[in-house]
């Protein structure tokens, strides 16, 4: 069975068990401060497990794109070195939300694996939670009893808390789990060692394929467990491992999910998979990482310098580095793999096909820039090697290796490899210390402590009324204390709220709550796990009373202007540039709007003007914003809504429509576009290959911007005492100015000639040497130099010593004819240095010409005479 058929069989099976089939949620998570990437299929359902969001379907199944490269679940370093870990993988999952529990989860898993997929039962094992004293929990006898119906008891094993109690993170929903393992070894090997002894022992052919989690608890910040409002099932099956089992392979990388990619890289590099371990690791690393990077880009997460973008950048660099070091790939190559990735996965994940050009451009650009960094790092390393050898040392300082790691992306093993070829080693202890120091630094920079929620009002669901109201009476249902980088903050949740929580690029509302004469500022509003969280610097003295909650209306209005203008901008860009324009990110705040979109070249002045014109025309039309709340997704698409890949929408969506602009959006908007007043683009530029950014302003901000420009213009008119032919006048002024400059330069040259001629008449001769020494009245050191060089061409056997007071600073210049330098062993540099002591300064230069500057113009005469004496001394012997 090939991988596509296998995925479909899983989905069909659970559909036949009344599960709703969902598509994958984005792999990159945008609105959850506790998680950067989807690391398990259950992430998108966290709110439901916690009881913060209502259950829409009791049963769901899907194939979820997951990424385990940060936080509690991080497999990055294993990837490539073994044959069954991945950064990105697909997790096949079935869910029960307060519906079926252990029995059905176990029975159906068995039915699918054994009856449908025909996996051999004697190779299957199941583990159950052995219990934990720490959490005061007993063995999961219930799950064991269900397994006993299918498996002999020696195929059921007990597992500890690490393996058989699943937790999403340090806090959050969790529960005991039952894992299904498969033993794929040969008959002989299985006879030698029983499969049960190799479970959870990191054996590449005895692997876990499916985890059935029985979600029952919420882990709190203080470490205790509290029961969830309902019992749920969360299962996750490693798709790539299932493919390995079904296709009788020894490694995930031997399946049809990876082989086409591996073969493509092998062909590019002229290597063969399966001949050399180092080469194989590199091939696996690259085949794995190109998936992660490509899918991240389709989720609008471009490689960048911080947070999730930085993780993606590092993964890309890891792949490039393996290619560079072990496959001799010194030119960009990753981007050429997108084509084969699409062949393998494009059918089930059409976002890859749709965004192919963008993925290729972004990856290629990243590769190029990293290869440049790598080349610079290698240059630096060469210098270090040279110096270490010259000093006769054998050990390179750990800090140096760390700098290579930190700045140039050189991991220690690459540095060590290059050093080894030169018989050098790194001081590892120092390297580790430098690494530890940096980790501590970043840990304290992001240090955040979150307390547990304190419930005041139970069972109250939070309702958002901010589309219609800016003020309402509220009660606090729960609150908790946070400490971010040493500062205490409070997060409050209300039963009903007019405050918009930051999401969809729109910043959160601010305002205040007030009761009994006490007014507390809401400094920000965020969204987290289905809750709207109001942030304050202090806690009300009585959190249980009823408060009047008031949103800062002025700010909200400015935000609405910018948000609606963003939609108009998006539509105008598509009209002017084409349908390939897709939103890649946005920020809407009261001051301005920022819109990132796919497009491959700079916008011309005309295009920018056209876009502005269209948006302003729409504003003047005063189009009424039509909002459709809670309509089915299909209806929204029929209305023309653009559903963006990489966004997760529920079945019921909110649509914001302004004539031809139709967008899925939860933000707050103007009632009619006229309110926006004016739209002005203030900047346009690239943020990465294939993605451009426009910043713009509206309403009063735009008005002020235009007025400031007009005022400058008025000032100019005032200066010209006319508003007629302004441009012509300015051009005339510029050209007149440049003519005058030319005239002045010619005049100054002529002046210099006069000075030079005057100097020539002051020559005094000693032993056939022509001396000119003089304190001069000139404007710059350049003038003296020019005169010196003119004299040199016209006077033979010349010694020229000049001093000058240049705006309170002393200057001393010495020039010799070349023949004198040789004949009398003269060195202008040495003489000027000595003589400059008289002007309290220093200088230098060549043997025939040198100059010095000094603080004391009073000493110029003395300096000239010192220089002259030194020269005479040489000449006269
Ligand atoms: N949440 C569990 C896991 O990730 C099962 O889906 O393994």
């Amino acid at each position: 069975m090939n991988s596509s058929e296998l995925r479909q069989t899983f989905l069909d099976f659970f559909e036949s068990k009344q599960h709703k089939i969902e598509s994958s949620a984005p792999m990159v998570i945008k609105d959850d401060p506790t998680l950067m990437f989807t690391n398990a299929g259950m992430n998108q359902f966290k709110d439901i497990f916690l009881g913060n969001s209502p259950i829409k379907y009791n049963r769901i199944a899907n194939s979820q794109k997951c990424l385990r490269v940060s936080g509690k679940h991080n497999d990055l370093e294993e990837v490539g070195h073994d044959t069954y870990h991945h950064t990105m993988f697909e997790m096949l999952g079935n869910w029960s939300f307060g519906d079926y529990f252990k029995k059905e989860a176990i029975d159906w898993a068995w039915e699918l694996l054994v009856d449908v997929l025909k996996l051999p039962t004697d190779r299957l094992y199941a583990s159950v939670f052995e219990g934990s004293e720490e959490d005061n929990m007993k063995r999961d006898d219930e799950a064991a009893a269900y397994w006993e119906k299918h498996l002999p008891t020696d195929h059921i094993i007990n597992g500890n808390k690490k393996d058989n109690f699943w937790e999403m993170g340090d806090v959050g929903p969790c529960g005991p789990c039952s894992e299904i393992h498969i033993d794929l070894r040969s008959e002989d090997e299985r006879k030698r060692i029983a499969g049960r002894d190799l479970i959870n022992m990191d054996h590449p052919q005895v692997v876990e394929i499916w985890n059935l989690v029985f979600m029952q608890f919420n882990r709190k910040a203080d470490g205790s467990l509290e029961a969830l409002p309902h019992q749920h099932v969360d299962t996750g099956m490693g798709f790539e491992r299932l493919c390995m089992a079904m296709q009788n392979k020894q490694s995930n990388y031997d399946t049809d999910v990876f082989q086409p990619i591996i073969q493509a890289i092998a062909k590019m590099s002229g290597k063969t998979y399966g001949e050399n371990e180092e080469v194989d690791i590199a091939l696996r690393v690259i085949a794995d990482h190109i998936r992660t990077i490509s899918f991240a880009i389709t989720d609008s997460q471009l490689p960048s310098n911080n947070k999730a973008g930085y993780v993606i950048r590092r993964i890309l660099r890891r792949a490039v580095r393996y290619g560079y070091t072990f496959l001799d790939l010194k030119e960009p190559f990753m981007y050429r793999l997108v084509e084969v990735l699409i062949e393998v996965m494009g059918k089930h994940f059409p976002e890859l096909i749709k965004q192919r050009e963008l993925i290729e451009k972004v990856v290629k650009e990243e590769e190029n820039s990293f290869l440049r960094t790598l080349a610079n790092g290698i240059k630096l390393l060469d210098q270090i090697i040279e110096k270490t050898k010259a000093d006769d040392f054998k050990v390179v300082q750990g800090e140096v290796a760390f700098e290579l790691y930190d700045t140039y992306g050189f991991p220690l093993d690459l540095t060590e490899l290059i050093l080894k070829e030169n018989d050098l080693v790194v001081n590892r202890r120092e390297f580790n210390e430098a690494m530890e120091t940096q980790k501590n630094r970043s840990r304290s920079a992001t240090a955040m402590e979150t307390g547990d929620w304190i419930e005041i009002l139970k069972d109250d669901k939070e309702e958002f009324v901010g589309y219609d109201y800016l003020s309402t009476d509220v009660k606090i249902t729960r609150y908790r204390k946070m400490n971010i980088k040493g500062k205490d903050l409070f997060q409050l949740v209300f039963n009903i709220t007019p405050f918009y929580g930051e999401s969809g690029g729109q910043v959160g509302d601010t305002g205040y709550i007030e009761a009994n004469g006490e007014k507390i500022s809401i400094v920000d509003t965020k969204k987290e796990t289905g809750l709207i969280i109001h942030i304050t610097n202090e806690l009300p003295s009585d959190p249980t009373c009823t408060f009047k909650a008031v949103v800062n209306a002025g700010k909200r209005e400015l935000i609405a202007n910018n948000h609606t203008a963003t939609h108009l901008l998006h539509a105008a860009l598509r009209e002017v540039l084409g349908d390939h324009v897709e939103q890649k990110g946005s920020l809407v705040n009261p001051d301005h709007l920022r819109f990132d979109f796919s497009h491959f070249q700079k916008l011309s002045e005309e295009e920018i003007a056209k876009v502005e014109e269209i948006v302003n025309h729409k504003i003047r039309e005063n189009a009424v914003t039509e909002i459709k709340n809670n309509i089915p997704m299909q209806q929204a698409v029929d209305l023309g809504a653009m559903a963006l890949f990489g966004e997760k929408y529920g079945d019921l969506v909110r649509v914001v429509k302004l004539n031809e602009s139709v967008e899925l959006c939860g933000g707050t908007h103007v009632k009619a576009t006229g309110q926006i007043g004016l739209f002005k683009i203030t900047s346009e530029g690239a943020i990465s290959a294939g993605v451009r950014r426009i910043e713009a302003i509206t309403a009063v901000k735009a008005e002020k911007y235009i007025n400031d420009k007009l005022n400058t213009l008025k000032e100019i008119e005032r200066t010209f005492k006319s508003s007629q032919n302004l441009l012509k006048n300015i051009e005339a002024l510029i050209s007149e100015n440049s003519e005058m400059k030319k005239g002045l330069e010619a005049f100054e040259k002529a002046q210099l000639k006069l000075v030079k001629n005057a100097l020539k008449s002051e020559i005094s001769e000693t032993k056939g040497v022509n001396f000119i020494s003089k304190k001069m009245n000139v404007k710059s050191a350049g003038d003296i130099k020019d005169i010196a060089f003119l004299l040199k061409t016209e006077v033979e056997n010349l010694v020229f010593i000049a001093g000058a007071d240049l705006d309170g600073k002393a200057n001393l210049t010495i020039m010799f004819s070349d023949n004198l330098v040789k004949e009398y062993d003269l060195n202008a540099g040495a003489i000027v240095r000595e003589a400059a002591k008289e002007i309290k300064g220093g200088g230098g230069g060549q043997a025939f010409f040198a100059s010095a500057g000094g603080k004391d113009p009073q000493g110029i005469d003395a300096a000239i005479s010192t220089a002259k004496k030194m020269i005479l001394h040489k000449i006269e012997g």
Side-chain angles (χ1 to χ4, degrees):
M1 197 181 272
N2 72 27
S3 52
S4 296
E5 290 161 352
L6 193 53
R7 190 189 290 110
Q8 200 53 49
T9 306
F10 174 88
L11 297 174
D12 291 347
F13 176 81
F14 281 102
E15 194 166 28
S16 78
K17 306 283 183 207
Q18 291 76 49
H19 285 62
K20 165 114 175 45
I21 306 302
E22 283 264 10
S23 54
S24 175
M27 188 173 78
V28 184
I29 298 179
K30 293 271 155 64
D31 285 336
D32 185 344
T34 64
L35 213 54
M36 278 198 279
F37 303 106
T38 295
N39 63 13
M42 52 75 66
N43 295 157
Q44 63 166 319
F45 303 118
K46 195 166 113 181
D47 313 352
I48 303 181
F49 288 134
L50 289 171
N52 295 338
S53 297
I55 297 170
K56 267 189 267 171
Y57 300 97
N58 294 119
R59 298 177 184 186
I60 284 181
N62 71 354
S63 170
Q64 172 65 45
K65 303 175 275 188
C66 297
L67 190 55
R68 290 193 170 171
V69 288
S70 56
K72 192 174 168 74
H73 299 277
N74 187 347
D75 295 331
L76 183 61
E77 290 313 319
E78 273 95 25
V79 172
H81 291 262
D82 67 24
T83 53
Y84 55 99
H85 276 102
H86 301 291
T87 51
M88 181 205 145
F89 61 98
E90 279 182 69
M91 191 183 273
L92 304 173
N94 56 293
W95 279 271
S96 150
F97 299 110
D99 188 25
Y100 63 82
F101 205 44
K102 296 184 186 178
K103 180 178 184 311
E104 290 83 349
I106 291 173
D107 285 350
W108 287 339
W110 188 259
E111 187 183 334
L112 176 66
L113 293 181
V114 175
D115 300 343
V116 179
L117 298 177
K118 310 272 184 254
L119 286 172
T121 54
D122 62 333
R123 289 177 179 270
L124 294 174
Y125 292 84
S127 63
V128 296
F129 182 42
E130 67 182 5
S132 139
E133 265 179 37
E134 201 182 348
D135 290 320
N136 198 15
M137 288 184 64
K138 291 218 273 306
R139 176 179 186 258
D140 191 352
D141 289 335
E142 190 190 348
Y146 296 130
W147 281 119
E148 278 165 20
K149 286 195 300 173
H150 306 296
L151 282 167
T153 43
D154 65 344
H155 276 230
I156 301 169
I157 54 168
N158 287 340
N160 59 22
K161 186 168 162 181
K162 178 178 146 281
D163 294 317
N164 280 73
F165 192 88
W166 201 85
E167 312 207 29
M168 189 192 73
D170 293 333
V171 293
C174 54
C177 60
S178 222
E179 293 178 343
I180 304 171
H181 295 255
I182 191 159
D183 182 354
L184 297 167
R185 292 172 306 149
S186 67
E187 291 298 338
D188 281 354
E189 280 178 276
R190 285 171 58 214
K191 268 187 210 132
R192 244 173 7 96
I193 306 172
R196 59 174 292 134
D197 295 333
L198 293 174
I199 285 173
N200 288 329
M201 304 294 270
D202 290 332
H203 191 289
Q205 270 100 46
V206 185
V207 290
E208 173 204 338
I209 48 170
W210 203 344
N211 187 12
L212 317 180
V213 183
F214 311 119
M215 280 304 175
Q216 281 168 276
F217 304 106
N218 178 29
R219 173 80 68 192
K220 301 189 14 174
D222 65 4
S224 64
L225 294 173
E226 75 179 355
L228 293 174
H230 299 280
Q231 292 182 326
H232 315 278
V233 169
D234 151 24
T235 88
M237 174 146 60
F239 173 63
E240 296 75 7
R241 291 185 187 180
L242 181 67
C243 289
M244 159 166 84
M246 288 297 293
Q247 295 174 6
N248 287 321
K249 303 290 186 196
Q250 300 287 297
S251 143
N252 291 2
Y253 292 92
D254 290 342
T255 64
D256 66 340
V257 181
F258 288 99
Q259 267 306 305
I261 309 175
I262 288 187
Q263 292 310 332
I265 315 163
K267 198 164 156 212
M268 258 179 216
S269 57
K271 309 271 183 205
T272 310
Y273 185 61
E275 283 185 350
N276 168 306
E277 185 56 11
E278 267 180 354
V279 168
D280 289 354
I281 292 174
L283 291 169
R284 288 195 289 262
V285 164
I286 297 164
D288 173 280
H289 291 6
I290 187 64
R291 300 184 349 139
T292 300
I293 298 152
S294 303
F295 276 97
I297 295 170
T298 62
D299 275 358
S300 295
Q301 184 54 67
L302 305 179
S304 73
N305 257 346
N306 52 38
K307 296 190 188 149
Y310 191 52
V311 177
I312 300 302
R313 173 165 284 169
R314 291 198 89 112
I315 294 174
L316 189 142
R317 292 182 162 196
R318 186 171 187 259
V320 173
R321 183 165 55 66
Y322 272 86
Y324 189 93
T325 317
F326 301 110
L327 307 180
D328 233 6
L329 292 166
K330 310 279 192 234
E331 297 288 322
F333 62 94
M334 298 279 289
Y335 78 100
R336 288 163 58 201
L337 298 171
V338 176
E339 181 177 358
V340 45
L341 176 65
I342 287 178
E343 280 165 26
V344 180
M345 302 187 79
K347 202 164 147 240
H348 190 73
F349 298 101
E351 60 266 43
L352 286 175
I353 301 173
K354 182 107 195 291
Q355 304 198 38
R356 172 175 174 172
E357 198 181 352
L358 178 69
I359 305 171
E360 288 175 340
K361 284 225 154 110
V362 172
V363 172
K364 188 173 177 192
E365 174 74 25
E366 273 292 308
E367 287 190 85
N368 266 325
S369 96
F370 182 51
L371 286 168
R372 278 195 297 272
T373 313
L374 217 51
N376 288 337
I378 286 175
K379 234 187 257 161
L380 184 69
L381 193 52
D382 284 344
Q383 285 166 9
I384 293 164
I385 292 170
E386 212 171 284
K387 179 155 188 331
T388 315
K389 283 183 168 170
D391 293 347
D392 220 6
F393 288 145
K394 285 262 162 248
V395 186
V396 170
Q397 287 174 333
E399 290 83 4
V400 174
F402 182 74
E403 189 196 335
L404 278 165
Y405 162 80
D406 201 35
T407 316
Y408 297 93
F410 272 55
L412 188 58
D413 58 5
L414 180 61
T415 304
E416 285 184 328
L417 197 80
I418 299 173
L419 290 180
K420 206 169 132 202
E421 288 161 9
N422 291 277
D423 278 334
L424 300 174
V425 290
V426 170
N427 183 329
R428 279 205 169 202
R429 187 184 46 79
E430 287 172 0
F431 178 88
N432 291 337
E433 276 168 12
M435 179 78 111
E436 204 43 44
T437 313
Q438 197 213 38
K439 272 191 189 150
N440 287 339
R441 217 180 299 129
S442 60
R443 229 175 268 144
S444 57
T446 54
M448 176 166 110
E449 281 169 39
T450 313
D452 279 318
W453 286 112
I454 303 192
E455 303 240 13
I456 309 182
L457 256 183
K458 266 214 163 345
D459 293 333
D460 250 334
K461 292 273 167 293
E462 190 182 29
E463 189 190 346
F464 175 62
V465 293
Y467 292 134
D468 305 309
Y469 302 96
L470 292 177
S471 132
T472 177
D473 282 353
V474 306
K475 280 179 107 49
I476 298 175
T477 56
R478 55 170 112 172
Y479 68 86
R480 67 179 173 187
K481 189 171 167 181
M482 309 271 292
N483 188 290
I484 299 175
K485 291 188 219 160
K487 188 175 178 330
D488 279 345
L489 290 173
F490 292 88
Q491 297 192 328
L492 319 179
V493 178
F494 304 152
N495 57 342
I496 180 170
T497 181
F499 286 87
Y500 181 85
E502 177 185 330
S503 52
Q506 179 176 331
V507 295
D509 279 336
T510 57
Y512 63 87
I513 52 171
E514 188 175 24
N516 306 328
E518 185 186 38
K519 199 165 169 180
I520 303 236
S521 295
I522 306 286
V523 294
D524 200 358
T525 312
K526 304 235 180 234
K527 259 187 180 168
E528 196 182 312
T529 60
L531 299 171
I532 296 173
I533 292 174
H534 308 81
I535 299 169
T536 64
N537 290 321
E538 55 195 317
L539 196 64
S541 25
D542 177 8
T544 60
C545 61
T546 301
F547 297 86
K548 184 170 179 226
V550 181
V551 172
N552 180 334
K555 189 172 154 193
R556 171 70 93 72
E557 186 180 307
L558 296 174
I559 292 173
N561 290 339
N562 286 337
H563 203 153
T564 308
T566 306
H567 286 206
L568 297 178
L569 168 65
H570 190 184
L573 284 169
R574 285 171 74 90
E575 188 180 330
V576 174
L577 305 175
D579 281 350
H580 62 281
V581 168
E582 257 186 22
Q583 176 168 346
K584 288 282 154 218
S586 82
L587 172 73
V588 176
N589 66 28
D591 297 324
H592 76 310
L593 64 96
R594 198 173 76 194
F595 188 71
D596 301 339
F597 57 100
S598 43
H599 183 58
F600 297 109
Q601 66 252 6
K602 187 166 179 48
L603 268 70
S604 65
E605 292 284 334
E606 295 75 41
E607 284 167 337
I608 292 179
K610 185 89 196 128
V611 168
E612 278 182 351
E613 190 188 308
I614 295 172
V615 173
N616 280 314
H617 182 75
K618 294 277 172 237
I619 292 172
R620 284 193 301 276
E621 268 181 358
N622 200 22
V624 174
T625 315
E626 283 177 70
I627 308 266
K628 300 201 187 300
N629 281 313
N630 295 327
I631 62 168
M633 182 70 183
Q634 191 51 49
Q635 198 176 321
V637 172
D638 294 344
L639 278 171
M642 259 188 295
L644 296 173
F645 285 119
E647 290 295 328
K648 184 72 193 162
Y649 304 106
D651 300 296
L652 295 180
V653 291
R654 181 171 187 263
V655 168
V656 177
K657 188 171 180 313
L658 287 143
N659 299 339
E660 49 277 15
S661 153
V662 187
E663 297 208 22
L664 302 178
C665 176
T668 58
H669 288 269
V670 300
K671 290 205 163 38
T673 55
Q675 180 192 310
I676 302 169
L678 185 62
F679 169 84
K680 185 82 200 133
I681 291 175
T682 51
S683 77
E684 190 275 342
I687 56 163
S688 78
V691 180
R692 306 207 60 90
R693 167 169 293 175
I694 279 184
E695 292 184 300
I697 47 180
T698 61
V700 277
K701 283 267 170 187
E703 210 171 277
K704 182 167 181 313
Y705 179 85
I706 305 267
N707 279 338
D708 285 350
K709 298 257 172 209
L710 284 176
N711 282 339
T712 311
L713 202 61
K714 264 193 211 142
E715 287 297 321
I716 298 172
E717 286 173 358
R718 212 168 289 144
T719 314
F720 277 102
K721 297 193 175 61
S722 153
S723 59
Q724 302 299 309
N725 299 326
L726 214 47
L727 197 59
K728 256 202 192 138
N729 285 344
I730 292 174
E731 277 166 4
L733 207 62
I734 291 172
S735 104
E736 199 177 304
N737 191 31
S738 100
E739 285 302 312
M740 277 166 74
K741 251 194 203 147
K742 270 186 218 150
L744 195 62
E745 271 163 24
F747 175 75
E748 280 173 354
K749 256 196 198 137
Q751 279 294 105
L752 286 183
K753 257 191 200 154
L754 287 179
V755 174
K756 175 210 66 183
N757 288 340
L759 285 172
K760 270 166 85 176
S761 67
E762 290 179 30
I763 291 176
S764 74
E765 200 223 288
T766 309
K767 282 189 134 188
V769 174
N770 294 317
F771 274 85
I772 302 174
S773 60
K774 173 112 182 152
K775 183 170 174 192
M776 294 169 53
N777 198 359
V778 286
K779 278 198 335 226
S780 72
D783 285 353
I784 305 177
K785 192 174 172 187
D786 288 348
I787 291 171
F789 278 82
L790 281 175
L791 284 170
K792 190 175 174 232
T793 55
E794 292 178 21
V795 181
E796 286 181 347
N797 297 329
L798 170 73
V799 169
F800 174 60
I801 310 167
D805 180 343
L806 302 171
D807 284 336
K809 296 249 160 57
N811 176 284
L812 183 68
T813 301
I814 299 175
M815 162 77 92
F816 301 129
S817 296
D818 297 331
N819 60 318
L820 294 184
V821 171
K822 280 195 206 119
E823 213 170 305
Y824 297 107
D825 189 25
L826 291 171
N827 185 335
I831 296 168
V832 94
R833 246 191 312 275
E834 184 57 34
K837 287 178 186 161
E838 301 285 356
I839 52 170
K840 295 200 174 69
Q846 291 149 280
F848 80 100
F849 178 80
S851 65
K855 280 190 287 199
D856 185 12
Q858 304 286 341
I860 291 175
D861 288 330
I864 295 175
S865 98
T866 303
K868 193 165 178 183
K869 262 188 218 145
M870 289 175 77
I871 297 162
L872 277 171
H873 185 70
K874 285 255 180 189
I875 292 171
E876 288 173 342

